[in-house]
Amino acid sequence: MTAHLNTESPVGGLFEEERSAEIVNARITADADPRLREVMSVLTRHLHAAIKEIEPTHEEWFKAIEFLTQTGHMCTDWRQEYILLSDVLGVTMLVDAINHRRPSGATPNTILGPFYVADAPHYENGANICLDGKGEPTLVSGRVLDTHGNPIAGATLDIWQTNDDGFYDVQQKGLQPEYNLRGLFTTDADGFYAFRTVKPRHYPVPADGPVGKLLGQLGRHPNRAAHMHFIVTAPGYDQVITHIFTPDCPYLHEDTVFGVKKELIAEFTTQDDAATAQRYDLQVPYLAVNWDFVLNPA
Ligand code: BEZ
Ligand code: FE
């Protein structure tokens, strides 16, 4: 006598192409963490929908698996290829936008990137963070304000950028002075800050791994629009992780990680004011950027 098999299981049933995502998601048990359930069931639904649209061959699917494997192998304590993948797919900026919706007038966030180093030297206002003497001297100054225009005294600005060759100090250990183009500054009683640096230039994200290869295969360049990084912090205010972009960079409208926001494009003006030049030990003419940061209450 043939056994009667019940194919209608309470956990979604046997695999069917039509209902594939629903069947997989039905396996999640009632005691699973609700947020994990939501995340995994949405991801499963979209992944199955993508596979149904793409209809990959086995070889193509294996290429995708190999790409993810190589991306994992590229990761070290220092190099995070998955974050780079998230960056070039615009996902890092999207997650940040969702988590930092600020009122108009407040300085927006942009991408942090992998080259931030904690514990940079703390300087007096007006100090020069360019230790290798390369590049166009630039005076950056302004105020840190609240959303009503009041100055915030004691705010910290943590600043970093590449040198004029397009590399961070940590990418050229032994070649560049340690902490070249990095520094911490504190605003005075008027919320004022100032530092000397050089005009930043565009540079490529690390492109020698699977993500760089993918960019090449997609006809995409690896370049970031020229920028300076800032983390601005003050007690009682939302921390701002942001950049200032140069207005004349050829990659301004095609930053490979989608980090440019129009509110972050600064003016770099040529100045010949002898008194300011003398005060900051600059030669005339020099470049200047006047830039205020506006913090939202925490
Ligand atoms: C950066 O701006 O330092 C950066 C951001 C994303 C990927 C690589 C570098
Ligand atoms: Fe950068």
Side-chain angles (χ1 to χ4, degrees):
M1 208 170 109
T2 341
H4 184 78
L5 292 179
N6 179 8
T7 55
E8 290 305 315
S9 141
V11 284
L14 299 180
F15 189 84
E16 288 169 30
E17 184 177 332
E18 277 285 288
R19 297 171 51 245
S20 62
E22 203 185 303
I23 290 164
V24 172
N25 282 336
R27 293 274 176 96
I28 305 173
T29 59
D31 59 353
D33 175 84
R35 182 65 171 159
L36 182 64
R37 166 200 297 281
E38 184 187 2
V39 169
M40 286 313 298
S41 55
V42 170
L43 281 178
T44 302
R45 198 153 33 80
H46 286 277
L47 179 61
H48 281 236
I51 294 294
K52 284 172 187 178
E53 188 176 338
I54 297 164
E55 297 194 329
T57 62
H58 283 294
E59 289 74 21
E60 286 171 331
W61 184 237
F62 189 64
K63 265 194 184 171
I65 303 279
E66 266 186 335
F67 170 76
L68 293 174
T69 306
Q70 285 161 10
T71 301
H73 285 162
M74 200 74 200
C75 293
T76 61
D77 285 351
W78 154 242
R79 173 88 178 248
Q80 229 306 351
E81 194 77 356
Y82 277 111
I83 297 184
L84 186 61
L85 180 60
S86 158
D87 296 345
V88 303
L89 294 179
V91 177
T92 306
M93 284 300 291
L94 181 58
V95 172
D96 192 71
I98 289 165
N99 284 280
H100 297 284
R101 293 181 182 126
R102 300 205 172 109
S104 113
T107 303
N109 261 26
T110 187
I111 200 155
L112 172 68
F115 299 115
Y116 172 67
V117 171
D119 303 322
H122 203 147
Y123 292 109
E124 292 293 319
N125 274 322
N128 189 3
I129 60 171
C130 176
L131 308 180
D132 66 2
K134 295 180 181 176
E136 265 185 278
T138 303
L139 174 65
V140 184
S141 62
R143 292 193 303 163
V144 178
L145 304 168
D146 69 16
T147 46
H148 302 290
N150 302 308
I152 303 176
T156 303
L157 295 96
D158 201 337
I159 301 155
W160 69 105
Q161 70 173 76
T162 58
N163 76 347
D164 201 48
D165 298 326
F167 293 100
Y168 288 93
D169 56 349
V170 289
Q171 293 176 290
Q172 292 193 315
K173 286 191 175 156
L175 262 180
Q176 285 190 44
E178 204 183 0
Y179 297 118
N180 190 26
L181 292 151
R182 294 180 188 274
L184 283 156
F185 292 81
T186 304
T187 56
D188 69 12
D190 299 320
F192 179 80
Y193 74 89
F195 64 96
R196 282 171 291 153
T197 183
V198 288
K199 189 179 180 190
R201 47 154 288 169
H202 65 81
Y203 65 89
V205 298
D208 56 342
V211 173
K213 190 171 162 203
L214 177 67
L215 287 177
Q217 287 169 333
L218 295 174
R220 285 181 54 181
H221 66 74
N223 295 310
R224 287 231 54 206
H227 60 275
M228 294 173 196
H229 290 259
F230 293 83
I231 298 179
V232 186
T233 346
Y237 295 89
D238 210 9
Q239 181 186 65
V240 172
I241 298 176
T242 195
H243 295 3
I244 290 177
F245 291 93
T246 66
D248 51 355
C249 175
Y251 296 103
L252 190 65
H253 296 284
E254 42 180 276
D255 182 17
T256 198
V257 298
F258 307 93
V260 181
K261 292 181 174 173
K262 64 178 183 322
E263 302 91 330
L264 301 177
I265 304 169
E267 262 190 289
F268 285 64
T269 55
T270 305
Q271 301 287 331
D272 53 13
D273 172 34
T276 309
Q278 195 180 20
R279 181 165 161 214
Y280 290 109
D281 195 18
L282 288 157
Q283 308 273 318
V284 285
Y286 58 90
L287 287 176
V289 178
N290 182 250
W291 192 261
D292 291 342
F293 294 90
V294 179
L295 306 192
N296 205 30

